[in-house]
Structure formats: structure tokens, C-alpha cells
């Protein structure tokens, strides 16, 4: 059973960088054909895909967030990390990490973590 757990600050000030880590257990982030995603849900809105880091370390980002997004990984800790720079209150959301087979066939999700951008 694969488990994902998000961690990071729940409150970030405007213009700062949001940083979240997803710790994975029960499966390796280097297993072939899996992508490790970040997805968010702003209050009252639908899910928004942010980006992923693939099993080989390649990355892909949403065009609308690409200029502010970086996803990296630490294979020794079986973790991957989201950094979103220059945040505004519009970045307030529940942030999820999720595993996907062949890029977008999601099968396991973290429970989500609330991040609020406010001064």
C-alpha cells in the first residue's frame, strides 16, 4: 500500500516562496512509469494540476504556473518537494501530492494540506 503525506507551513506571506514536501512510503519514487504530482484546490474551486516529477527525474509543469514552480526530489528520503515562488492570496488552497501511472492515471493521493497566503 502506497502512502503519501504532505508537510510544510500552513501560512505563507505574500511574495514569499511556498515549500511543501511529500513523503512516500510503500513504494519508490524511482519506480518506472510513475509520476509524482502536485495538485491544489482553491476554496470553492476545482482541482488544479501544478506539475510532476517523473520516475527518471524529469519534470513537467502547468503552463499557467511554470514560471513560479519548481519540483525536485530526494531519492534517499523517498520525498519530492514543491516550491512555488512569489505567492499571492490567490495561491491559497489545499495542496495534494499524488501518484500517477503513465503521467495522469492517479491512483494514490495524500490527505492534503491547507496553505494560506496572508500577511
Amino acid at each position: 500500500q502506497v502512502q503519501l503525506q504532505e508537510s510544510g507551513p500552513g501560512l505563507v506571506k505574500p511574495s514569499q516562496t511556498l515549500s511543501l514536501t511529500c513523503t512516500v512510503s510503500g513504494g519508490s519514487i524511482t519506480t518506472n512509469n510513475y509520476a509524482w504530482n502536485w495538485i491544489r484546490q482553491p476554496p470553492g474551486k476545482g482541482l488544479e494540476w501544478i506539475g510532476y516529477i517523473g520516475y527518471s527525474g524529469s519534470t513537467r509543469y502547468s503552463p499557467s504556473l511554470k514560471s513560479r514552480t519548481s519540483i525536485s526530489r530526494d531519492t534517499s528520503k523517498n520525498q519530492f518537494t514543491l516550491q512555488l515562488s512569489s505567492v499571492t492570496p490567490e495561491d491559497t488552497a489545499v495542496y495534494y501530492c499524488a501518484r500517477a501511472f503513465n503521467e495522469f492515471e492517479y491512483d494514490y493521493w495524500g490527505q492534503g494540506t491547507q496553505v494560506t497566503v496572508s500577511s
Side-chain angles (χ1 to χ4, degrees):
Q1 179 81 358
V2 176
Q3 293 183 315
L4 297 90
Q5 179 66 57
E6 305 90 350
S7 60
L11 180 64
V12 183
K13 294 185 185 302
S15 80
Q16 293 188 340
T17 296
L18 178 162
S19 184
L20 295 174
T21 296
C22 184
T23 300
V24 179
S25 59
S28 172
I29 62 173
T30 61
T31 300
N32 283 1
N33 298 323
Y34 285 102
W36 303 88
N37 291 261
W38 286 101
I39 297 158
R40 69 183 183 180
Q41 186 168 29
K45 298 184 179 180
L47 294 171
E48 178 183 22
W49 176 72
I50 300 170
Y52 71 67
I53 186 163
Y55 64 94
S56 65
S58 62
T59 55
R60 183 176 175 183
Y61 303 123
S62 166
S64 64
L65 296 170
K66 183 176 182 179
S67 64
R68 300 193 291 127
T69 305
S70 177
I71 299 175
S72 59
R73 67 180 185 174
D74 185 336
T75 57
S76 67
K77 296 181 180 179
N78 215 36
Q79 295 176 333
F80 61 105
T81 298
L82 168 69
Q83 291 194 305
L84 184 66
S85 63
S86 304
V87 297
T88 72
E90 285 66 44
D91 293 308
T92 294
V94 177
Y95 285 75
Y96 299 92
C97 56
R99 188 183 82 164
F101 181 73
N102 286 342
E103 294 190 279
F104 294 117
E105 297 176 27
Y106 300 106
D107 55 3
Y108 291 100
W109 293 69
Q111 65 183 19
T113 187
Q114 173 71 47
V115 178
T116 300
V117 179
S118 175
S119 55

